Amino acid sequence: MSGLEIERKFLVRNDDYKRQAFSSSRICQGYICSGHGRTVRVRIRDNRGYLTIKGPSNADGLSRYEFEKEITLEEATQLMKLCEPGSIDKTRYLVKSGSHTFEVDEFYGENEGLVMAEVELQSEDEPFEKPDFIGREVTGDRRYYNAHLLKNPFTAWGKGEESADR
């Protein structure tokens, strides 16, 4: 898959997403390189591998170019050895809401306690139904980008840096 990725990100208020989810999978990902808004990511999702290249986001953080290709698990395992130090470890839950599917990520390790949801859209102004567990929008807030969380993990943020009103 490649093309323009348009998505909105939100903090999650409670764990209602777990009972609403129709699917879940474990994800471990690393970054071969990340900087200036561009990333080359290696992901292992359950027993499948992926290589993803993302370009910089537009000014409001809603869209950016994304190229993703499935690779073998062996290739992904080998490429993980080339990644920058650290990794992102999370479980992704899929929750249907209206005609959209929200991806809810529950983070572990140095990002324990962070739960975010995102929804992919066809256009930046496309309407969508928010599930009740959706909290404050963080679209465009670079602190919540996975590549940023690798270098500045959630557990290291100062008190009050994350919003209490999730």
Side-chain angles (χ1 to χ4, degrees):
M1 176 197 109
S2 66
L4 190 64
E5 174 190 56
I6 302 169
E7 67 182 14
R8 292 184 55 187
K9 292 183 178 218
F10 303 87
L11 296 179
V12 172
R13 296 175 205 235
N14 56 50
D15 65 358
D16 289 353
Y17 63 91
K18 289 183 180 180
R19 65 176 171 72
Q20 295 175 32
F22 66 85
S23 176
S24 68
S25 56
R26 191 67 179 251
I27 296 173
C28 181
Q29 65 190 40
Y31 290 85
I32 292 175
C33 63
S34 61
H36 308 291
R38 296 167 180 84
T39 60
V40 178
R41 177 185 76 202
V42 178
R43 173 180 281 173
I44 297 174
R45 183 173 184 167
D46 294 328
N47 291 316
R48 299 173 83 169
Y50 300 89
L51 180 65
T52 305
I53 301 168
K54 292 189 178 195
S57 296
N58 66 358
D60 56 13
L62 279 171
S63 61
R64 63 182 171 172
Y65 177 80
E66 177 183 81
F67 170 86
E68 184 170 78
K69 180 165 181 55
E70 186 168 351
I71 58 178
T72 68
L73 181 59
E74 174 65 24
E75 289 169 330
T77 301
Q78 291 302 315
L79 287 172
M80 288 291 277
K81 296 175 184 174
L82 300 177
C83 289
E84 298 170 348
S87 64
I88 298 290
D89 184 19
K90 60 189 179 181
T91 296
R92 172 163 290 168
Y93 297 86
L94 301 180
V95 178
K96 193 86 168 139
S97 180
S99 62
H100 294 89
T101 298
F102 279 75
E103 298 176 339
V104 181
D105 291 342
E106 178 181 359
F107 291 83
Y108 306 112
E110 290 189 300
N111 290 297
E112 184 83 32
L114 179 60
V115 183
M116 282 192 304
E118 61 185 45
V119 60
E120 291 199 13
L121 305 171
Q122 296 299 312
S123 67
E124 290 188 7
D125 59 353
E126 180 181 349
F128 58 93
E129 294 177 37
K130 290 183 192 175
D132 291 340
F133 58 79
I134 294 295
R136 181 172 62 91
E137 184 164 5
V138 294
T139 301
D141 186 338
R142 297 195 190 302
R143 294 176 304 161
Y144 293 98
Y145 288 16
N146 282 244
H148 187 272
L149 290 168
L150 185 66
K151 296 172 183 170
N152 299 290
F154 183 71
T155 57
W157 292 10
K159 189 172 180 100
E161 192 171 347
E162 79 282 359
S163 176
D165 67 342
R166 291 191 202 184

